[in-house]
Amino acid sequence: MGEVFSRAWRRRKLRQSVNWLLGFHGSPRQIARGLAIGVIIAFSPTMGFQMAIAAVLATLTYSSRAAAIAAVWITNPLTALPIYTFTYRIGGWFGPTLGISDFRRRLSTVLVNDAGEWLDLQQQVLEITRLGREVLWPLTLGGAIVGIAAGAVSYLIALGMIEFGRRTRRTRGTSR
């Protein structure tokens, strides 16, 4: 299937991911917990405040602030609309919602104006409050469900990768 699916490519990507995680300071649990906090916050409809929220929660839980802040960037201007559409659909299972096309249209008005220019943070907050219960409730609930699930998985994966990476580095360091 080509280079993308080769075993060497997968090993290289895994090694890069482990090295990225090992670059954070703290115990494996602190780093994994920080990453999980960031992932949970990334799925919440708090874009614009996510880094601050993640930093505060990481500080309160004695977790890696850097890992938490890095992880919130799962949600960025390119991924926000698909992520929030998905979390809205999940939250919509628990109550009445708008149709998905109406939701996308209303959500896009929170991010950009009619001329296609990005709104500043104050304008975004005003637009979000105008969306009201029909959008914010399912978006928040769906974000919590998806975020907690993704955060738990990311915690377990990150913890395993960090412990494996540190063990491998120790073993290599003593055999030289």
Side-chain angles (χ1 to χ4, degrees):
M1 283 283 218
E3 171 65 20
V4 173
F5 297 110
S6 74
R7 192 175 294 179
W9 181 85
R10 288 192 307 257
R11 278 193 197 131
R12 187 170 49 251
K13 289 299 175 188
L14 178 61
R15 190 171 31 255
Q16 288 172 347
S17 298
V18 170
N19 286 334
W20 179 75
L21 286 170
L22 293 175
F24 291 111
H25 295 286
S27 72
R29 291 186 187 279
Q30 288 173 321
I31 297 167
R33 202 169 45 237
L35 192 74
I37 287 168
V39 169
I40 292 167
I41 299 302
F43 288 98
S44 71
T46 56
M47 197 164 178
F49 301 101
Q50 290 176 333
M51 289 192 302
I53 294 167
V56 168
L57 288 175
T59 300
L60 293 174
T61 59
Y62 301 102
S63 304
S64 170
R65 286 187 300 271
I69 290 170
V72 300
W73 279 95
I74 291 169
T75 310
N76 59 61
L78 296 175
T79 63
L81 195 56
I83 285 173
Y84 289 148
T85 300
F86 177 69
T87 59
Y88 180 77
R89 282 186 176 181
I90 298 296
W93 289 341
F94 301 96
T97 60
L98 297 171
I100 205 65
S101 59
D102 289 334
F103 168 72
R104 283 185 176 207
R105 183 183 46 75
R106 297 236 0 230
L107 187 60
S108 68
T109 64
V110 172
L111 303 174
V112 294
N113 63 18
D114 293 333
E117 299 169 346
W118 287 95
L119 299 175
D120 65 29
L121 189 58
Q122 181 181 5
Q123 291 171 313
Q124 287 180 358
V125 170
L126 288 173
E127 290 299 321
I128 286 172
T129 57
R130 287 187 190 131
L131 291 177
R133 186 174 165 183
E134 64 188 4
V135 172
L136 288 180
W137 169 248
L139 192 59
T140 302
L141 181 61
I145 292 167
V146 173
I148 290 169
V153 169
S154 67
Y155 175 83
L156 294 172
I157 291 171
L159 185 60
M161 289 173 69
I162 295 163
E163 288 175 344
F164 170 78
R166 289 190 177 172
R167 200 170 38 250
T168 303
R169 280 190 175 174
R170 269 195 309 269
T171 305
R172 285 185 186 161
T174 57
S175 64
R176 286 187 182 175

